[in-house]
């Protein structure tokens, strides 16, 4: 979810994906990617928990998350924004 807070910043939050068995090990960290058009993405910012607050650029902004563990990167989340 991406929600504007009272200060005008955006809180991006998510739930961890399933883990164990065929789903693999749980995430150790996450990478938050941002985009102005929902197609071209930045290089990402490491995030340790399941939410973060970002300062929006005052234009339409899109977000997606990738989980990371010793096995590599997960598929990306749905795009929100």
């Amino acid at each position: 979810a991406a929600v504007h807070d009272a200060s005008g910043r955006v809180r991006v939050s998510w739930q961890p994906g399933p883990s164990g068995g065929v789903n693999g090990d749980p995430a150790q960290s996450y990478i938050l990617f941002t985009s102005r058009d929902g197609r071209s993405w930045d290089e990402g910012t490491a995030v340790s928990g399941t939410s973060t607050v970002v300062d929006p650029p005052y234009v339409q902004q899109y977000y997606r998350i990738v989980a990371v563990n010793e096995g590599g990167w997960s598929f990306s989340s749905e795009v929100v924004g």
Side-chain angles (χ1 to χ4, degrees):
V3 179
H4 280 94
D5 67 16
S7 68
R9 300 173 82 194
V10 176
R11 175 168 296 281
V12 182
S13 61
W14 58 93
Q15 296 296 315
S19 62
V22 298
N23 294 311
D25 294 328
Q28 296 170 327
S29 63
Y30 298 90
I31 301 174
L32 171 68
F33 293 93
T34 61
S35 169
R36 290 191 178 188
D37 62 11
R39 294 182 300 271
S40 301
W41 298 92
D42 69 3
E43 294 182 15
T45 302
V47 178
S48 60
T50 56
S51 69
T52 190
V53 176
V54 297
D55 290 315
Y58 302 104
V59 297
Q60 179 67 45
Q61 189 81 13
Y62 299 90
Y63 306 95
R64 70 181 183 184
I65 300 293
V66 169
V68 180
N69 65 21
E70 290 179 7
W73 291 15
S74 70
F75 293 110
S76 65
S77 67
E78 292 183 29
V79 175
V80 298

